[in-house]
Coordinates of all heavy atoms in Angstrom, one line a residue:
M1 N 120.7 144.8 58.9 CA 121.6 143.7 59.3 C 122.5 144.1 60.4 O 122.9 145.3 60.6 CB 122.5 143.4 58.1 CG 123.5 142.3 58.4 SD 124.6 142.0 57.0 CE 125.8 143.3 57.3
Q2 N 122.7 143.2 61.3 CA 123.6 143.4 62.4 C 124.7 142.4 62.4 O 124.4 141.2 62.2 CB 122.8 143.3 63.7 CG 123.6 143.6 64.9 CD 122.7 143.8 66.1 OE1 122.1 144.8 66.3 NE2 122.5 142.7 66.9
L3 N 125.9 142.8 62.6 CA 127.1 141.9 62.6 C 127.7 142.0 64.0 O 128.0 143.2 64.5 CB 128.1 142.4 61.5 CG 129.4 141.6 61.4 CD1 129.1 140.2 60.8 CD2 130.3 142.4 60.4
V4 N 128.0 140.9 64.6 CA 128.7 140.9 65.9 C 130.1 140.4 65.6 O 130.3 139.3 65.1 CB 128.0 140.0 66.9 CG1 128.7 139.9 68.2 CG2 126.6 140.5 67.1
I5 N 131.1 141.1 66.1 CA 132.5 140.8 65.9 C 133.1 140.5 67.3 O 133.1 141.4 68.1 CB 133.3 141.9 65.2 CG1 132.7 142.2 63.9 CG2 134.8 141.4 65.0 CD1 133.3 143.5 63.2
G6 N 133.6 139.3 67.5 CA 134.1 138.9 68.8 C 135.6 138.8 68.8 O 136.2 138.6 67.8
N7 N 136.1 138.8 70.1 CA 137.5 138.5 70.3 C 138.4 139.7 69.8 O 139.6 139.5 69.5 CB 138.0 137.2 69.8 CG 139.3 136.7 70.5 OD1 139.4 137.0 71.7 ND2 140.2 136.1 69.9
L8 N 137.9 140.9 69.8 CA 138.7 142.1 69.5 C 139.6 142.4 70.7 O 139.3 142.1 71.8 CB 137.8 143.3 69.2 CG 137.0 143.2 67.9 CD1 135.8 144.2 68.0 CD2 137.9 143.6 66.8
P9 N 140.7 143.1 70.4 CA 141.6 143.5 71.6 C 140.7 144.4 72.5 O 139.9 145.1 72.1 CB 142.7 144.3 70.9 CG 142.7 143.8 69.5 CD 141.3 143.4 69.2
V10 N 141.0 144.3 73.8 CA 140.2 145.0 74.8 C 140.2 146.5 74.6 O 139.2 147.2 75.0 CB 140.7 144.6 76.2 CG1 142.0 145.2 76.6 CG2 139.6 145.0 77.3
D11 N 141.2 147.1 74.0 CA 141.3 148.5 73.9 C 140.7 149.0 72.5 O 140.9 150.1 72.1 CB 142.7 149.0 74.1 CG 143.7 148.4 73.1 OD1 143.3 147.5 72.4 OD2 144.8 148.9 73.0
S12 N 140.0 148.1 71.8 CA 139.5 148.5 70.5 C 138.4 149.6 70.6 O 137.6 149.6 71.6 CB 138.8 147.3 69.8 OG 139.8 146.3 69.5
S13 N 138.4 150.5 69.7 CA 137.4 151.5 69.7 C 136.5 151.3 68.4 O 136.8 150.6 67.5 CB 138.1 152.9 69.6 OG 138.7 153.0 68.3
A14 N 135.4 152.1 68.4 CA 134.5 152.1 67.3 C 135.2 152.5 66.0 O 135.0 152.0 64.9 CB 133.3 152.9 67.5
E15 N 136.2 153.4 66.2 CA 136.9 153.9 65.0 C 137.9 152.8 64.5 O 138.0 152.6 63.3 CB 137.8 155.1 65.4 CG 138.6 155.7 64.3 CD 139.3 157.0 64.7 OE1 138.7 157.8 65.3 OE2 140.5 157.1 64.3
D16 N 138.4 152.0 65.4 CA 139.3 150.9 65.0 C 138.4 149.9 64.1 O 138.9 149.4 63.1 CB 139.8 150.1 66.2 CG 140.8 150.9 67.0 OD1 141.5 151.8 66.4 OD2 140.9 150.7 68.2
V17 N 137.2 149.6 64.6 CA 136.3 148.6 63.9 C 135.9 149.2 62.5 O 135.9 148.5 61.5 CB 135.1 148.3 64.8 CG1 134.1 147.4 64.0 CG2 135.6 147.6 66.0
Y18 N 135.6 150.5 62.5 CA 135.3 151.2 61.3 C 136.4 151.1 60.3 O 136.2 150.7 59.1 CB 134.9 152.7 61.6 CG 134.6 153.5 60.3 CD1 133.3 153.5 59.8 CD2 135.6 154.2 59.7 CE1 133.0 154.2 58.7 CE2 135.3 154.9 58.5 CZ 134.0 154.9 58.1 OH 133.7 155.6 56.9
T19 N 137.6 151.3 60.7 CA 138.8 151.2 59.8 C 139.0 149.8 59.3 O 139.3 149.6 58.1 CB 140.1 151.7 60.6 OG1 139.9 153.1 61.0 CG2 141.3 151.6 59.7
L20 N 138.8 148.8 60.2 CA 139.0 147.4 59.8 C 138.0 147.1 58.7 O 138.3 146.5 57.7 CB 138.8 146.5 61.0 CG 138.6 145.0 60.8 CD1 139.9 144.5 60.2 CD2 138.2 144.3 62.0
L21 N 136.7 147.5 58.9 CA 135.7 147.1 58.0 C 135.8 147.9 56.7 O 135.8 147.2 55.6 CB 134.3 147.4 58.6 CG 133.9 146.5 59.7 CD1 132.6 147.0 60.4 CD2 133.7 145.1 59.2
T22 N 136.0 149.2 56.7 CA 135.9 150.0 55.5 C 137.2 150.0 54.7 O 137.2 150.0 53.5 CB 135.4 151.4 55.8 OG1 136.3 152.0 56.7 CG2 134.0 151.4 56.4
Q23 N 138.3 150.2 55.5 CA 139.6 150.4 54.8 C 140.3 149.1 54.5 O 140.9 148.9 53.5 CB 140.5 151.3 55.6 CG 139.9 152.8 55.6 CD 140.8 153.7 56.4 OE1 141.9 153.4 56.7 NE2 140.2 154.9 56.6
Q24 N 140.3 148.2 55.5 CA 141.0 146.9 55.3 C 140.2 145.9 54.6 O 140.8 145.1 53.8 CB 141.5 146.4 56.7 CG 142.5 147.2 57.4 CD 142.9 146.7 58.7 OE1 142.5 145.7 59.2 NE2 143.8 147.5 59.3
L25 N 138.9 145.8 54.8 CA 138.1 144.8 54.1 C 137.3 145.4 53.0 O 136.7 144.6 52.2 CB 137.1 144.1 55.1 CG 137.8 143.4 56.3 CD1 136.8 142.8 57.2 CD2 138.7 142.3 55.8
G26 N 137.2 146.7 52.8 CA 136.5 147.3 51.7 C 134.9 147.2 51.9 O 134.2 147.3 50.9
A27 N 134.5 147.1 53.1 CA 133.0 147.0 53.3 C 132.4 148.4 53.3 O 133.1 149.4 53.5 CB 132.7 146.4 54.7
P28 N 131.1 148.5 53.0 CA 130.4 149.8 53.0 C 130.4 150.3 54.5 O 130.5 149.6 55.4 CB 129.0 149.5 52.5 CG 128.9 148.0 52.5 CD 130.2 147.4 52.6
E29 N 130.1 151.6 54.6 CA 130.0 152.3 55.9 C 128.8 151.7 56.7 O 127.7 151.7 56.2 CB 129.8 153.8 55.7 CG 131.1 154.5 55.5 CD 130.8 156.0 55.6 OE1 130.0 156.5 56.4 OE2 131.5 156.7 54.9
P30 N 129.0 151.3 57.9 CA 127.9 150.9 58.7 C 127.2 152.1 59.3 O 127.7 153.2 59.3 CB 128.6 150.1 59.9 CG 130.0 150.6 59.9 CD 130.3 151.1 58.6
T31 N 126.0 151.9 59.8 CA 125.2 153.0 60.3 C 125.6 153.2 61.8 O 125.4 154.3 62.3 CB 123.7 152.8 60.2 OG1 123.4 151.5 60.8 CG2 123.3 152.8 58.8
E32 N 126.0 152.2 62.5 CA 126.4 152.3 63.9 C 127.4 151.2 64.3 O 127.3 150.1 63.8 CB 125.1 152.1 64.8 CG 125.3 152.2 66.2 CD 124.1 152.0 67.1 OE1 123.0 151.7 66.5 OE2 124.2 152.0 68.3
I33 N 128.3 151.6 65.2 CA 129.2 150.6 65.8 C 129.3 150.9 67.3 O 129.5 152.0 67.7 CB 130.7 150.8 65.2 CG1 130.7 150.6 63.7 CG2 131.6 149.8 65.9 CD1 132.0 150.9 63.0
R34 N 129.1 149.8 68.0 CA 129.2 149.9 69.5 C 130.2 148.8 69.9 O 130.1 147.6 69.5 CB 127.8 149.6 70.1 CG 127.8 149.9 71.6 CD 126.4 149.8 72.2 NE 125.9 148.4 72.2 CZ 124.7 148.0 71.8 NH1 123.8 148.9 71.4 NH2 124.4 146.7 71.9
V35 N 131.1 149.2 70.7 CA 132.2 148.3 71.2 C 132.0 148.1 72.7 O 131.9 149.1 73.5 CB 133.6 148.8 70.9 CG1 134.6 147.8 71.5 CG2 133.7 148.9 69.4
E36 N 132.0 146.9 73.2 CA 131.9 146.6 74.7 C 133.0 145.7 75.1 O 133.3 144.8 74.3 CB 130.5 146.0 74.9 CG 129.3 146.9 74.6 CD 128.0 146.3 74.8 OE1 127.9 145.2 75.4 OE2 127.0 146.9 74.5
N37 N 133.5 145.9 76.3 CA 134.5 145.0 76.9 C 133.9 143.6 77.2 O 132.7 143.6 77.7 CB 135.1 145.6 78.1 CG 136.0 146.7 77.8 OD1 136.5 146.9 76.7 ND2 136.2 147.6 78.8
G38 N 134.7 142.6 77.0 CA 134.2 141.3 77.4 C 134.4 141.0 78.8 O 135.0 141.8 79.6
S39 N 134.1 139.8 79.3 CA 134.2 139.4 80.7 C 135.7 139.4 81.0 O 136.5 138.8 80.2 CB 133.5 138.1 80.9 OG 134.1 137.1 80.2
G40 N 136.1 139.9 82.2 CA 137.5 139.8 82.6 C 138.3 140.8 81.8 O 139.5 140.8 82.0
E41 N 137.7 141.6 81.0 CA 138.5 142.5 80.1 C 139.6 141.9 79.3 O 140.6 142.5 79.1 CB 139.0 143.7 81.0 CG 137.8 144.5 81.6 CD 138.3 145.8 82.3 OE1 139.5 146.2 82.1 OE2 137.5 146.4 82.9
L42 N 139.4 140.7 78.8 CA 140.4 140.0 78.0 C 140.2 140.3 76.5 O 141.1 140.2 75.7 CB 140.3 138.5 78.2 CG 140.7 138.0 79.6 CD1 140.5 136.5 79.7 CD2 142.1 138.4 80.0
N43 N 138.9 140.7 76.2 CA 138.6 141.0 74.8 C 137.4 141.9 74.7 O 136.8 142.2 75.7 CB 138.4 139.7 74.0 CG 137.3 138.9 74.5 OD1 136.3 139.4 75.1 ND2 137.4 137.6 74.5
A44 N 137.1 142.3 73.5 CA 136.0 143.2 73.3 C 135.1 142.6 72.2 O 135.5 141.8 71.5 CB 136.5 144.6 72.9
L45 N 133.9 143.1 72.2 CA 132.9 142.7 71.3 C 132.3 143.9 70.6 O 132.1 145.0 71.2 CB 131.7 142.0 72.1 CG 130.5 141.5 71.3 CD1 130.9 140.2 70.6 CD2 129.4 141.3 72.3
A46 N 132.2 143.9 69.3 CA 131.6 145.0 68.5 C 130.3 144.6 67.9 O 130.2 143.5 67.3 CB 132.6 145.4 67.4
I47 N 129.4 145.5 68.0 CA 128.1 145.3 67.4 C 128.0 146.3 66.3 O 128.0 147.5 66.5 CB 126.9 145.4 68.4 CG1 127.1 144.4 69.5 CG2 125.6 145.3 67.7 CD1 126.2 144.6 70.7
V48 N 127.9 145.8 65.0 CA 127.9 146.7 63.9 C 126.6 146.6 63.2 O 126.1 145.5 62.9 CB 129.0 146.3 62.9 CG1 129.1 147.2 61.7 CG2 130.4 146.2 63.6
R49 N 126.0 147.8 62.9 CA 124.7 147.8 62.3 C 124.8 148.4 60.9 O 125.5 149.4 60.7 CB 123.7 148.6 63.1 CG 123.3 147.8 64.4 CD 122.2 148.5 65.1 NE 121.9 147.7 66.3 CZ 121.1 148.1 67.3 NH1 120.5 149.3 67.2 NH2 120.9 147.4 68.3
Y50 N 124.1 147.8 60.0 CA 123.9 148.3 58.6 C 122.4 148.5 58.4 O 121.6 148.0 59.1 CB 124.4 147.2 57.6 CG 125.9 147.2 57.5 CD1 126.7 146.3 58.3 CD2 126.6 148.1 56.7 CE1 128.1 146.3 58.2 CE2 128.0 148.1 56.6 CZ 128.7 147.2 57.4 OH 130.1 147.2 57.3
P51 N 122.0 149.3 57.4 CA 120.6 149.5 57.1 C 119.8 148.2 56.9 O 120.4 147.2 56.5 CB 120.6 150.3 55.8 CG 122.0 150.9 55.8 CD 122.9 150.0 56.4
D52 N 118.6 148.2 57.3 CA 117.7 147.0 57.2 C 117.7 146.4 55.8 O 117.5 145.2 55.6 CB 116.3 147.4 57.6 CG 116.2 147.6 59.1 OD1 117.1 147.2 59.9 OD2 115.3 148.3 59.5
D53 N 117.9 147.3 54.8 CA 117.8 146.8 53.4 C 119.1 146.3 52.8 O 119.3 146.1 51.6 CB 117.2 147.8 52.5 CG 118.0 149.1 52.4 OD1 118.9 149.3 53.2 OD2 117.7 150.0 51.5
T54 N 120.1 146.1 53.7 CA 121.4 145.7 53.3 C 121.3 144.2 52.7 O 120.7 143.4 53.4 CB 122.4 145.7 54.4 OG1 122.5 147.0 54.9 CG2 123.8 145.2 54.1
P55 N 121.9 143.9 51.6 CA 121.8 142.6 51.1 C 122.4 141.5 52.0 O 123.4 141.7 52.6 CB 122.6 142.6 49.8 CG 122.7 144.1 49.4 CD 122.6 144.8 50.7
E56 N 121.7 140.4 52.1 CA 122.1 139.3 53.0 C 123.5 138.8 52.6 O 124.3 138.4 53.5 CB 121.1 138.2 52.9 CG 121.3 137.1 53.8 CD 120.2 136.0 53.7 OE1 119.1 136.3 53.6 OE2 120.6 134.8 53.7
A57 N 123.9 138.9 51.3 CA 125.2 138.5 50.9 C 126.3 139.3 51.5 O 127.4 138.7 51.8 CB 125.3 138.7 49.3
L58 N 126.1 140.5 51.9 CA 127.1 141.3 52.5 C 127.5 140.7 53.9 O 128.6 140.5 54.3 CB 126.8 142.8 52.7 CG 127.8 143.6 53.5 CD1 129.1 143.6 52.8 CD2 127.2 145.0 53.7
G59 N 126.4 140.3 54.6 CA 126.6 139.6 55.9 C 127.5 138.4 55.8 O 128.4 138.1 56.6
R60 N 127.1 137.6 54.8 CA 127.9 136.3 54.6 C 129.3 136.6 54.3 O 130.3 135.9 54.8 CB 127.2 135.5 53.5 CG 125.9 134.8 53.9 CD 125.5 133.8 52.9 NE 125.3 134.3 51.6 CZ 124.2 134.8 51.1 NH1 123.1 134.8 51.8 NH2 124.2 135.2 49.8
V61 N 129.6 137.6 53.4 CA 130.9 137.9 53.0 C 131.7 138.4 54.2 O 132.9 138.0 54.4 CB 130.9 138.9 51.8 CG1 132.3 139.5 51.6 CG2 130.4 138.3 50.6
L62 N 131.2 139.3 55.0 CA 131.9 139.9 56.1 C 132.1 138.8 57.2 O 133.2 138.7 57.8 CB 131.1 141.0 56.7 CG 131.1 142.3 55.9 CD1 130.3 143.4 56.5 CD2 132.5 142.8 55.6
D63 N 131.2 137.9 57.4 CA 131.3 136.8 58.3 C 132.5 136.0 57.9 O 133.4 135.6 58.7 CB 130.0 136.0 58.4 CG 130.1 134.9 59.4 OD1 131.2 134.5 59.9 OD2 129.0 134.3 59.7
D64 N 132.6 135.6 56.6 CA 133.6 134.8 56.1 C 135.0 135.5 56.2 O 136.0 134.8 56.5 CB 133.4 134.4 54.6 CG 132.3 133.4 54.4 OD1 131.9 132.8 55.4 OD2 131.8 133.3 53.3
K65 N 135.0 136.8 55.9 CA 136.3 137.5 55.9 C 136.8 137.7 57.4 O 138.0 137.7 57.6 CB 136.2 138.9 55.2 CG 136.1 138.8 53.7 CD 136.1 140.1 53.1 CE 136.2 140.0 51.6 NZ 136.4 141.4 51.0
L66 N 135.9 137.9 58.3 CA 136.3 138.3 59.7 C 136.5 137.0 60.5 O 137.4 137.1 61.4 CB 135.2 139.1 60.3 CG 135.1 140.6 59.8 CD1 133.8 141.2 60.3 CD2 136.3 141.4 60.3
S67 N 135.8 136.0 60.3 CA 135.9 134.8 61.2 C 137.3 134.1 60.9 O 137.6 133.7 59.8 CB 134.8 133.8 60.9 OG 133.6 134.3 61.4
G68 N 138.1 134.1 62.0 CA 139.5 133.6 61.9 C 140.5 134.6 61.5 O 141.7 134.2 61.5
L69 N 140.1 135.8 61.1 CA 141.1 136.8 60.8 C 142.0 137.1 62.0 O 141.5 137.4 63.0 CB 140.4 138.1 60.3 CG 141.3 139.3 59.9 CD1 142.0 139.0 58.6 CD2 140.4 140.5 59.7
H70 N 143.3 137.1 61.8 CA 144.2 137.5 62.8 C 144.4 139.0 62.8 O 144.8 139.6 61.9 CB 145.6 136.8 62.6 CG 146.4 136.9 63.8 ND1 146.2 136.1 65.0 CD2 147.5 137.6 64.1 CE1 147.1 136.4 65.9 NE2 148.0 137.3 65.3
Y71 N 143.9 139.6 63.9 CA 143.9 141.1 64.0 C 144.5 141.5 65.3 O 143.9 141.2 66.4 CB 142.4 141.6 63.9 CG 142.2 143.0 64.1 CD1 142.6 144.0 63.1 CD2 141.7 143.5 65.2 CE1 142.4 145.3 63.2 CE2 141.4 144.9 65.4 CZ 141.8 145.8 64.4 OH 141.6 147.1 64.6
Q72 N 145.6 142.2 65.3 CA 146.3 142.7 66.5 C 146.4 141.7 67.6 O 146.1 141.9 68.7 CB 145.5 144.0 67.0 CG 145.5 145.1 66.0 CD 144.8 146.4 66.6 OE1 144.4 146.4 67.7 NE2 144.7 147.4 65.7
G73 N 146.9 140.5 67.2 CA 147.1 139.4 68.1 C 145.9 138.6 68.5 O 146.0 137.8 69.4
H74 N 144.8 138.8 67.9 CA 143.6 138.1 68.2 C 143.0 137.5 67.0 O 143.0 138.1 65.9 CB 142.5 139.1 68.8 CG 142.9 139.7 70.1 ND1 142.2 139.3 71.3 CD2 143.9 140.5 70.5 CE1 142.8 140.0 72.3 NE2 143.8 140.7 71.8
D75 N 142.4 136.3 67.1 CA 141.7 135.6 66.0 C 140.2 136.0 66.2 O 139.6 135.6 67.2 CB 141.9 134.1 66.1 CG 143.3 133.7 65.7 OD1 144.0 134.4 64.9 OD2 143.8 132.7 66.3
L76 N 139.7 136.8 65.3 CA 138.4 137.3 65.4 C 137.3 136.2 65.0 O 137.6 135.2 64.4 CB 138.2 138.5 64.4 CG 139.1 139.6 64.6 CD1 138.8 140.8 63.6 CD2 139.1 140.1 66.0
D77 N 136.1 136.5 65.5 CA 135.0 135.6 65.2 C 133.8 136.6 64.8 O 133.7 137.7 65.4 CB 134.6 134.8 66.4 CG 133.5 133.8 66.0 OD1 133.5 133.3 64.8 OD2 132.7 133.5 66.9
A78 N 133.0 136.3 63.9 CA 131.9 137.1 63.5 C 130.7 136.3 63.2 O 130.7 135.2 62.9 CB 132.3 137.9 62.2
T79 N 129.5 137.0 63.5 CA 128.2 136.3 63.3 C 127.2 137.4 62.9 O 127.2 138.5 63.4 CB 127.7 135.7 64.7 OG1 128.7 134.8 65.2 CG2 126.4 135.0 64.5
V80 N 126.4 137.1 61.9 CA 125.3 137.9 61.5 C 124.1 137.6 62.4 O 123.8 136.4 62.5 CB 125.0 137.8 60.0 CG1 123.8 138.6 59.6 CG2 126.2 138.1 59.2
T81 N 123.5 138.6 63.0 CA 122.4 138.3 63.9 C 121.2 139.1 63.4 O 121.3 140.0 62.5 CB 122.7 138.8 65.3 OG1 122.9 140.2 65.4 CG2 123.9 138.1 65.8
H82 N 120.1 138.9 64.0 CA 118.9 139.6 63.7 C 119.0 141.0 64.3 O 119.7 141.2 65.3 CB 117.6 139.0 64.3 CG 117.3 137.7 63.7 ND1 116.8 137.5 62.4 CD2 117.5 136.4 64.2 CE1 116.6 136.3 62.2 NE2 117.0 135.6 63.2
H83 N 118.5 142.0 63.6 CA 118.6 143.4 64.0 C 117.5 143.6 65.1 O 116.3 143.6 64.7 CB 118.4 144.3 62.8 CG 118.5 145.7 63.1 ND1 119.7 146.4 63.0 CD2 117.6 146.7 63.5 CE1 119.6 147.6 63.3 NE2 118.3 147.8 63.6
F84 N 117.8 143.8 66.3 CA 116.9 144.1 67.4 C 116.7 145.6 67.6 O 117.7 146.3 67.6 CB 117.3 143.4 68.7 CG 117.4 141.9 68.6 CD1 118.6 141.3 68.5 CD2 116.2 141.2 68.6 CE1 118.6 139.9 68.4 CE2 116.3 139.8 68.6 CZ 117.5 139.2 68.5
K85 N 115.5 146.0 67.7 CA 115.2 147.4 68.0 C 115.3 147.6 69.5 O 114.9 146.8 70.3 CB 113.9 147.8 67.5 CG 113.8 147.7 66.0 CD 112.6 148.4 65.5 CE 112.5 148.1 64.0 NZ 112.4 149.2 63.2
E86 N 115.9 148.7 69.9 CA 116.1 149.0 71.3 C 114.9 149.9 71.8 O 114.3 150.6 71.2 CB 117.4 149.7 71.6 CG 118.6 148.8 71.2 CD 119.9 149.5 71.5 OE1 119.9 150.6 72.1 OE2 120.9 149.0 71.0

């Protein structure tokens, strides 16, 4: 499963996203987190990967908890996407 979290503060790190997911939301540990700056450096985007056998329900729960969550002055948005191999 892959989760995309949008509208993060521009200075967000993978560690910040990890803390948000695991400590604040109680989600299991992801296998990978990649954070990229958005256009104009106004926000950042995190791509969070979980194992392929992760239950679909986890994606729905995280999407629901993250979408609209006010985090460090930003209202987050989340989407579960297909896991693309690089």
Side-chain angles (χ1 to χ4, degrees):
M1 178 185 80
Q2 183 169 278
L3 178 69
V4 178
I5 305 170
N7 203 35
L8 287 161
V10 70
D11 60 348
S12 296
S13 67
E15 185 176 312
D16 294 331
V17 175
Y18 178 86
T19 300
L20 170 65
L21 291 170
T22 61
Q23 294 180 12
Q24 293 179 0
L25 299 180
E29 277 190 36
T31 56
E32 179 184 358
I33 300 173
R34 187 173 72 223
V35 178
E36 298 180 5
N37 287 337
S39 62
E41 296 190 11
L42 296 176
N43 58 35
L45 178 79
I47 300 168
V48 182
R49 291 187 179 171
Y50 283 92
D52 291 337
D53 62 350
T54 299
E56 188 178 313
L58 176 62
R60 286 192 304 269
V61 168
L62 290 177
D63 184 344
D64 288 346
K65 285 186 174 187
L66 288 165
S67 292
L69 177 69
H70 193 73
Y71 175 74
Q72 296 182 4
H74 294 249
D75 292 326
L76 303 182
D77 187 35
T79 304
V80 176
T81 65
H82 296 286
H83 185 89
F84 295 104
K85 297 193 185 231
E86 294 181 15

